[in-house]
Amino acid sequence: SRTALKDINLTISAKTTVGLIGLTGCGKTTTVDIILGLLRPQKGTLEVDGKVITEQNLRAWQRLIGYVPQQIFLSDDTIEANIAFGVEPKNINQDMVKKVSKIANLHQFIIEELPKQYQTIVGERGVRLSGGQRQRIGIARALYYNPKVLILDEATSALDNKTEQIVMEAINKISKHLTVIIIAHRLDTVKNCNIVYKLDKGQLVGKETFN
């Protein structure tokens, strides 16, 4: 009955970091769901490198995206299996698991505090881990597949300020090689973005640098 988004016209340059901010319900997640190809707009198009994304090329586009939601799904399996989610145990690239864990500020915790390190079972839905640790597994998982586009949907909201700062510093280091889209409700989260878009009631009301 109501249009979720209206006249959204966004251009995101490759290898830049873009923030989306606004109050709850303003259309941030809906915008990202269109970029992810999870929702199809009733009007308008999603274009990547000048090509319109259709059902025929949608999967190829989605394979280039690493997505970190606010709530991370964890299976009752090892830390390693949860990072390399969906990969057969024998095919897991352990060097890559360690590399992305270091980026997500997770490696030290795994090595120093978990009894079986990367082979530690996390428990159903990750009950043995804190919200921040689950979130960092989500970030490591998104990076494991070496994405070209990284989307963080309120992904650092469960972290305390210090941990968020460390994780964001790590993401900033790799962002030179990636296109990063960050949905945030804390302004601090988007301070290193090249451009910050502000949404309100489904409309784009501002395009600024953080300053």
Side-chain angles (χ1 to χ4, degrees):
S1 62
R2 186 170 65 82
T3 308
L5 299 175
K6 194 176 168 197
D7 303 329
I8 297 280
N9 193 359
L10 276 180
T11 301
I12 296 171
S13 302
K15 295 182 183 174
T16 60
T17 300
V18 167
L20 293 179
I21 61 166
L23 299 172
T24 304
C26 69
K28 303 186 297 286
T29 298
T30 308
T31 302
V32 162
D33 284 346
I34 289 172
I35 294 169
L36 287 164
L38 299 176
L39 289 178
R40 297 199 59 178
Q42 284 149 309
K43 286 180 189 165
T45 54
L46 167 67
E47 292 180 25
V48 180
D49 294 339
K51 287 186 187 152
V52 175
I53 299 300
T54 62
E55 276 181 22
Q56 283 67 42
N57 59 14
L58 177 62
R59 289 298 298 134
W61 163 237
Q62 288 173 330
R63 277 195 282 273
L64 302 176
I65 301 173
Y67 175 62
V68 188
Q70 198 170 0
Q71 299 291 333
I72 305 295
F73 171 79
L74 295 179
S75 62
D76 190 7
D77 207 334
T78 63
I79 295 271
E80 180 182 86
N82 271 289
I83 291 171
F85 197 64
V87 178
E88 288 286 317
K90 63 179 186 293
N91 297 331
I92 291 175
N93 180 337
Q94 292 178 335
D95 291 339
M96 190 63 170
V97 167
K98 284 184 184 150
K99 181 184 170 186
V100 296
S101 296
K102 284 173 184 169
I103 293 169
N105 192 30
L106 194 63
H107 179 72
Q108 218 167 346
F109 160 73
I110 291 169
I111 295 301
E112 292 174 6
E113 296 189 38
L114 297 182
K116 294 184 180 172
Q117 300 185 344
Y118 283 91
Q119 299 310 314
T120 305
I121 302 284
V122 300
E124 200 168 327
R125 294 189 186 161
V127 290
R128 296 183 186 157
L129 301 171
S130 72
Q133 287 151 0
R134 287 199 291 271
Q135 214 67 29
R136 282 180 277 175
I137 287 176
I139 292 166
R141 177 190 291 169
L143 295 172
Y144 178 84
Y145 290 97
N146 209 5
K148 296 281 182 279
V149 179
L150 182 65
I151 297 178
L152 306 169
D153 187 351
E154 302 267 18
T156 55
S157 59
L159 307 181
D160 59 74
N161 285 350
K162 188 167 184 258
T163 307
E164 181 186 34
Q165 201 179 341
I166 293 165
V167 170
M168 289 313 294
E169 275 168 18
I171 286 165
N172 292 332
K173 272 184 208 154
I174 56 162
S175 65
K176 296 172 188 67
H177 314 289
L178 293 174
T179 306
V180 184
I181 300 169
I182 300 170
I183 291 183
H185 64 275
R186 282 207 288 249
L187 265 179
D188 254 16
T189 314
V190 296
K191 72 175 176 215
N192 290 309
C193 290
N194 302 95
I195 293 288
V196 179
Y197 288 105
K198 186 178 181 189
L199 285 102
D200 185 33
K201 295 176 184 158
Q203 289 184 290
L204 206 51
V205 293
K207 176 188 174 183
E208 316 272 346
T209 61
F210 176 76
N211 289 337

